[in-house]
Amino acid sequence: MSDPYSAADGLVRVYPAREPNGTGLVWAHGGGFAFGDLDMPESDWVASSLAARGTTVVSVDYRLAPVPAEWTDAATPRAGHHYPAASDDMLAAWSWVVANAGRLRIALDRLAIGGTSAGGNLAAGATLRLIERRAEALPALVLLAYPTLLAVQPAPDAALRAALDAQPDADTFGPEAVRGMYENYLGGPVDAAPVGAIPGLARPVDLAEFPPTFIVNGDVDELRLSGEVFAASLRAARRPVDVVTEAGTQHGHLNRPHEAAASVTLDRFAARLAGLSSLTPPIAHAPSATRQDTPVA
């Protein structure tokens, strides 16, 4: 079967690999936690494209946060679900894939998790929660595209500030906007939020077993600061992490497949997935906080 199909009582849409290579990806779209769907390009186009290259992609239709009346750009207010609803959906989707890996033709030691923007937050947060729960299977790889990982970001340096000033249409993720997005997601203040909701707050000790991670940030995008903070924390924890800033991009470039950068990022992700090794036994948990080069499954 090569056409996408709904599964797990409608929680996920499965994109079967055309010629399966054993890799799988649990994938979450973005949209500020309150918007987005499985048909937007960064969900459907990405999933279809990776499936054509051998990876079975399971896209998660997670529950969205409310759309409050004060968000004047929204057509109408909408009720929704606060944390941990979307994160719980990610965990449920992950568990479903693990339980059904055989019939999905996915090797558990080649199963990754990832997402874009707010979906990147959900992927990283779900991974932290899996580690906390000592889950039997952890992701072999975490793929994050222009993720938002902090509710309170550091200020941009002079170069990024100048780039944002030169492209006002890209300057949409200032401190108030980002904090408001997280407060809406959490249903309250950000101060006491768990790392499952704000993964950028994770300390090195929280990240001792975090899987190998690949982050692609936008260029003229203030949210890339949170990706850089998270990468620094992973390095401090001696975890394998690579970060790329996709040159010339604004936030959300995977939603614009006509832009050359979207295909470049897709190629990067496809290469990372294809490079997952299934020659070594899966390891559920690292015995210590030392770096582990073998992919975790």
Side-chain angles (χ1 to χ4, degrees):
M1 186 175 188
S2 58
D3 293 330
Y5 61 90
S6 180
D9 296 324
L11 175 61
V12 302
R13 182 187 293 171
V14 178
Y15 293 75
R18 192 170 301 166
E19 296 180 6
N21 60 17
T23 61
L25 174 64
V26 177
W27 186 248
H29 65 79
F33 304 106
F35 302 98
D37 56 47
L38 299 188
D39 294 322
M40 62 197 298
E42 68 180 19
S43 184
D44 182 67
W45 176 72
V46 168
S48 298
S49 300
L50 291 175
R53 302 187 189 202
T55 296
T56 292
V57 181
V58 179
S59 191
V60 186
D61 193 16
Y62 58 86
R63 285 170 287 178
L64 299 176
V67 177
E70 58 267 27
W71 288 11
T72 55
D73 60 337
T76 57
R78 188 198 68 224
H81 306 270
H82 299 296
Y83 179 86
S87 183
D88 286 348
D89 289 343
M90 289 294 291
L91 293 179
W94 177 263
S95 295
W96 181 85
V97 175
V98 169
N100 291 275
R103 73 182 184 90
L104 293 170
R105 301 175 74 179
I106 295 172
L108 281 182
D109 60 341
R110 305 189 80 188
L111 176 58
I113 195 170
T116 59
S117 195
N121 172 296
L122 295 176
T127 302
L128 287 165
R129 295 181 70 195
L130 287 168
I131 293 169
E132 289 173 355
R133 297 178 178 198
R134 300 198 65 78
E136 185 174 340
L138 296 179
L141 175 68
V142 179
L143 294 175
L144 306 178
Y146 41 87
T148 172
L149 301 168
L150 284 174
V152 180
Q153 301 178 154
D157 61 19
L160 178 55
R161 183 68 263 162
L164 290 165
D165 290 343
Q167 300 182 45
D169 58 324
D171 194 7
T172 57
F173 295 104
E176 291 185 9
V178 172
R179 180 185 282 270
M181 178 178 70
Y182 275 89
E183 288 175 343
N184 183 63
Y185 171 50
L186 293 165
V190 302
D191 300 336
V195 295
I198 308 180
L201 296 177
R203 305 161 299 169
V205 67
D206 302 317
L207 299 169
E209 298 176 44
F210 205 85
T213 303
F214 182 53
I215 303 173
V216 175
N217 285 322
D219 188 1
V220 187
D221 180 5
E222 199 161 346
L223 289 182
R224 74 173 162 92
L225 299 169
S226 68
E228 291 166 355
V229 167
F230 189 60
S233 297
L234 287 168
R235 294 188 190 102
R238 299 178 60 81
R239 303 307 301 146
V241 57
D242 290 313
V243 184
V244 171
T245 297
E246 209 67 90
T249 58
Q250 297 182 6
H251 187 77
H253 62 274
L254 289 177
N255 261 326
R256 301 182 290 276
H258 60 281
E259 294 182 6
S263 294
V264 172
T265 295
L266 189 76
D267 289 345
R268 296 187 196 277
F269 282 176
R272 292 289 172 137
L273 289 163
L276 288 173
S277 171
S278 59
L279 299 177
T280 53
I283 298 174
H285 289 276
S288 69
T290 59
R291 174 168 176 161
Q292 198 178 317
D293 290 323
T294 303
V296 181

